[in-house]
């Protein structure tokens, strides 16, 4: 996706520890035109998947998730990381480790939003080790639903997440794939 690749080149900042900071357009301040194009691209890539719901994790996955759900014409569900007074029972719970935040979070989704027979498209902003995507996929499976695919905005191909997910048989579509961040420069997978 050329528009996204150009944004990464122009505005992405490489930090120590193989972290790519993209908070100017993806996960703090958001570029709505880019988000709309991301939604359209995921709609195109998963057009034949029979998606009935989109599932993401708060908060960075919400923007690409909502635009994808809008383009497909299905509801968006986001897994919560924070405990909520209104979400305490009849929930699916999984643990996901955040590479960027270096901490584990219990993520929750109400059981009333995912049902057996649903075909759920998992959307997330980044893929490094695959922890968030696997946790969301386990929630889908707990519900008796099916993972229709996993859509990632930016994949760090030099980390094991993509291989682990595809080895498990998940269909993975990443809009931008990064080969490395050596020397403070972003190298893309061709």
């Amino acid at each position: 996706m050329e528009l996204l690749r150009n944004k990464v080149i122009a505005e992405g900042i490489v930090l120590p520890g193989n972290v790519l900071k993209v908070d100017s357009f993806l996960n703090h301040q958001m570029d709505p035109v880019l988000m709309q194009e991301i939604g359209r691209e995921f709609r195109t890539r998963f057009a034949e998947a029979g998606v009935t719901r989109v599932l993401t994790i708060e908060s960075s996955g919400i923007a690409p998730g909502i635009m994808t759900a809008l383009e497909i014409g299905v509801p968006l569900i986001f897994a919560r990381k924070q405990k909520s007074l209104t979400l305490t029972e009849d929930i699916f719970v999984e643990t996901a480790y955040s590479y960027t935040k270096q901490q584990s979070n219990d993520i929750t989704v109400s059981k009333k939003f995912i049902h057996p027979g649903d075909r759920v498209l998992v959307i997330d902003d980044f893929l490094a080790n695959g922890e968030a995507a696997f946790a969301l996929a386990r929630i889908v499976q707990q519900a008796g639903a099916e993972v229709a695919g996993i859509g990632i905005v930016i994949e760090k191909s030099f980390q094991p997440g993509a291989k682990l997910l595809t080895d498990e048989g998940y269909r993975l579509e990443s809009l931008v794939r990064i080969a490395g961040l050596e020397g403070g420069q972003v190298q893309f997978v061709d």
Side-chain angles (χ1 to χ4, degrees), residues 81-82 95-106 131:
K81 293 180 191 172
Q82 305 296 321
T95 301
Y97 181 77
S98 169
Y99 178 83
T100 306
K101 294 186 176 81
Q102 300 286 301
Q103 68 183 29
S104 291
N105 292 296
D106 283 341
E131 294 279 338

Side-chain angles (χ1 to χ4, degrees), residues 56-66 76 123-125:
T56 192
I57 192 167
E58 72 174 347
S59 64
S60 298
I62 293 175
I66 192 71
L76 169 72
I123 297 288
D124 206 3
D125 63 336

Side-chain angles (χ1 to χ4, degrees), residues 141-187:
Q141 291 160 352
Q142 283 182 50
E146 185 177 343
V147 176
I150 298 172
I152 300 296
V153 179
I154 299 173
E155 171 191 315
K156 292 178 176 177
S157 300
F158 59 92
Q159 291 182 281
K163 182 172 180 358
L164 293 171
L165 289 166
T166 55
D167 284 354
E168 285 295 314
Y170 292 110
R171 176 180 172 195
L172 176 65
E173 292 284 341
S174 300
L175 303 185
V176 167
R177 297 176 61 221
I178 296 177
L181 300 171
E182 289 79 27
Q185 298 296 311
V186 177
Q187 296 91 38

Side-chain angles (χ1 to χ4, degrees), residues 38-40 42-43 46 49-58 61-79 109 113-115 118-125 136-137 139-140 145-153:
I38 286 170
R40 288 180 179 149
F42 281 134
R43 178 197 65 208
F46 290 99
V51 174
T52 61
R53 306 227 185 280
V54 172
L55 176 64
T56 192
I57 192 167
E58 72 174 347
I62 293 175
I66 192 71
M67 296 311 283
T68 301
L70 178 67
E71 288 292 328
I72 296 172
V74 299
L76 169 72
I77 304 156
F78 68 88
V109 172
F113 297 129
I114 305 176
H115 311 101
D118 273 329
R119 293 190 44 79
V120 180
L121 176 58
V122 171
I123 297 288
D124 206 3
D125 63 336
L136 292 169
I139 285 175
V140 171
E146 185 177 343
V147 176
I150 298 172
I152 300 296
V153 179

